[in-house]
Amino acid sequence: MAEEKKTIFSGMQPSGLITLGNYLGALRNWTQLQDEYNCLYCIVDLHAITVRQDPAKLRRASKEVLMQYIAAGLDPEKNIIYYQSHVPAHAELGWILNCFTYMGELSRMTQFKEKSQKHADNINAGLFTYPVLMAADILLYQTDLVPVGEDQRQHLEIARDIAGRFNNLYGDVFRIPEAYIGKVGARVMALQQPDKKMSKSDENKNNTVALLDEPAVILSKFKKAMTDSENEVRYDPEQKPGVSNLLNIYCAVTDKTIAEAEREFANSGYGNFKVAVGEAVVEKLEPIQKKVAELDKNKDYLDQIIAMNTERASAIAYKTLRKVQKKLGFVPRVR
Ligand code: TRP
């Protein structure tokens, strides 16, 4: 018997803004997983409302994430890409798992502490139980692997704890998920503060390049990127973090090696170098942007993809949910 494919689950907030860092560091590599694994990419709109959202913007941003995923090469027939709110099992299991999660462990979550400081006027219960909904997301699909960044490790840990706790009480219901450590993509740093990672929530917009930024905007952001006072294009992340970041980006989008790039720019000043990096990025993103523009005009296609993927996700999710409900003693529904 052929070995069963493992399941990978990832959720992303529909902020719309996918950065060059997300793309080169993660998204681009995910396209190589689609044959080897069962992959689910959930656009987590239920999580998004733990902070106030403008409805029109949320709707648009959710659609933009979907389009960018497809445009970046995730095949929506091979991967299950869908909206969390379309599969009510997430909310249902989320409630159930709330009853298996302790206030104490939730209050230790770093992200809760940070977000409640940032949104002091709206410390709602959803913000507090955010990790429980995330656990439900993951556990519904009997997920083996979750690709998570540093900032989400604690949430994956609590998902594992909740699953283990439930299994101890009711038998083997949930698969215990693990972090997916894939091929490391490029680690893209903030353009003006190359000592920190490029982040979509950065308030300085010149630090981030969005996948959907206009070419002129991309070029201007690269022209303003921080370098150093040497005027020598050389890779040295310790001494020359800005230049090294630009070299990393350049090599990631052109598939050249660092040595090749160093040679190429050996005699050009930083000015030319930065323009060249910006142009290479523009060239790399152009086909993705074109594809997004096409998808944006093709509502029927997107609707059909979403409908199909919602079905596929629901089938898996409800299987787990029914099992959970039965274990808990809920009276089975008669059809
Ligand atoms: N909390 C994650 C983030 O902000 C998003 C997320 C929600 C997620 N559910 C998930 C990530 C399940 C991985 C698995 O980035």
Side-chain angles (χ1 to χ4, degrees):
M1 198 178 78
E3 207 179 311
E4 223 185 300
K5 282 188 191 174
K6 291 195 166 176
T7 296
I8 293 187
F9 185 99
S10 177
M12 70 297 305
Q13 297 251 9
S15 68
L17 230 178
I18 295 178
T19 69
L20 185 64
N22 300 137
Y23 175 67
L24 296 176
L27 185 48
R28 185 164 77 152
N29 297 331
W30 292 352
T31 59
Q32 291 159 20
L33 306 174
Q34 56 198 16
D35 294 312
E36 207 180 319
Y37 297 91
N38 294 319
C39 300
L40 293 113
Y41 299 103
C42 178
I43 300 166
V44 295
D45 46 9
L46 297 177
H47 278 106
I49 62 162
T50 52
V51 301
R52 289 284 170 260
Q53 301 283 344
D54 174 87
K57 279 192 191 145
L58 180 62
R59 200 174 298 121
R60 176 68 198 163
S62 302
K63 189 175 163 192
E64 277 186 354
V65 173
L66 170 70
M67 294 190 296
Q68 288 176 92
Y69 272 42
I70 299 174
L74 291 181
D75 181 340
E77 310 249 343
K78 290 184 179 165
N79 303 280
I80 304 184
I81 311 174
Y82 69 106
Y83 299 121
Q84 190 184 29
S85 63
H86 287 194
V87 181
H90 288 254
E92 294 177 70
L93 184 64
W95 168 258
I96 292 169
L97 296 182
N98 266 325
C99 304
F100 293 86
T101 309
Y102 298 109
M103 305 279 288
E105 54 190 345
L106 288 176
S107 25
R108 284 194 293 275
M109 295 290 115
T110 329
Q111 194 173 75
F112 171 70
K113 291 187 213 164
E114 279 169 14
K115 283 202 184 170
S116 44
Q117 263 172 15
K118 203 166 153 198
H119 305 277
D121 55 338
N122 182 19
I123 307 179
N124 60 70
L127 200 59
F128 191 60
T129 61
Y130 180 111
V132 184
L133 181 59
M134 177 163 161
D137 298 343
I138 297 168
L139 301 178
L140 272 178
Y141 299 92
Q142 305 294 346
T143 300
D144 296 283
L145 299 165
V146 184
V148 279
E150 249 341 284
D151 63 324
Q152 295 299 318
R153 287 221 161 231
Q154 210 183 15
H155 289 165
L156 179 60
E157 229 17 79
I158 202 174
R160 290 165 51 88
D161 290 345
I162 297 170
R165 188 173 300 150
F166 198 95
N167 285 353
N168 271 335
L169 289 165
Y170 299 101
D172 255 348
V173 177
F174 297 124
R175 192 162 298 168
I176 311 286
E178 281 171 38
Y180 173 75
I181 318 285
K183 203 179 112 209
V184 273
R187 191 174 150 83
V188 178
M189 313 302 280
L191 292 185
Q192 303 206 324
Q193 287 156 285
D195 55 329
K196 64 173 197 184
K197 250 178 90 173
M198 182 179 285
S199 155
K200 63 179 176 182
S201 52
D202 201 316
E203 276 166 23
N204 178 355
K205 290 297 158 227
N206 285 322
N207 263 334
T208 47
V209 173
L211 237 49
L212 299 183
D213 272 347
E214 306 253 339
V217 174
I218 296 177
L219 279 178
S220 117
K221 285 179 178 177
F222 277 100
K223 280 184 197 158
K224 287 185 218 146
M226 157 110 130
T227 47
D228 51 59
S229 54
E230 265 187 10
N231 217 26
E232 186 194 347
V233 179
R234 178 166 51 84
Y235 191 74
D236 181 348
E238 288 298 312
Q239 302 299 318
K240 299 165 73 69
V243 169
S244 303
N245 185 37
L246 293 174
L247 277 168
N248 270 334
I249 293 173
Y250 184 73
C251 291
V253 297
T254 58
D255 290 321
K256 291 181 185 168
T257 65
I258 295 282
E260 282 167 347
E262 280 178 335
R263 240 174 286 131
E264 187 177 342
F265 297 107
N267 300 312
S268 50
Y270 285 165
N272 292 333
F273 171 54
K274 291 199 275 189
V275 170
V277 179
E279 282 171 349
V281 169
V282 167
E283 196 178 318
K284 182 77 187 177
L285 297 187
E286 196 191 308
I288 299 179
Q289 299 189 345
K290 273 211 176 115
K291 178 89 197 181
V292 167
E294 264 168 42
L295 288 168
D296 206 7
K297 282 186 259 166
N298 203 340
K299 181 172 182 303
D300 289 349
Y301 172 74
L302 289 181
D303 285 350
Q304 177 216 321
I305 287 297
I306 279 294
M308 174 186 77
N309 280 328
T310 305
E311 282 296 314
R312 292 162 74 203
S314 299
I316 308 169
Y318 275 99
K319 209 168 143 200
T320 302
L321 185 66
R322 297 288 171 248
K323 200 162 162 188
V324 168
Q325 291 171 331
K326 192 169 165 199
K327 293 281 186 186
L328 290 169
F330 295 171
V331 176
R333 222 157 69 188
V334 182
R335 275 167 219 282

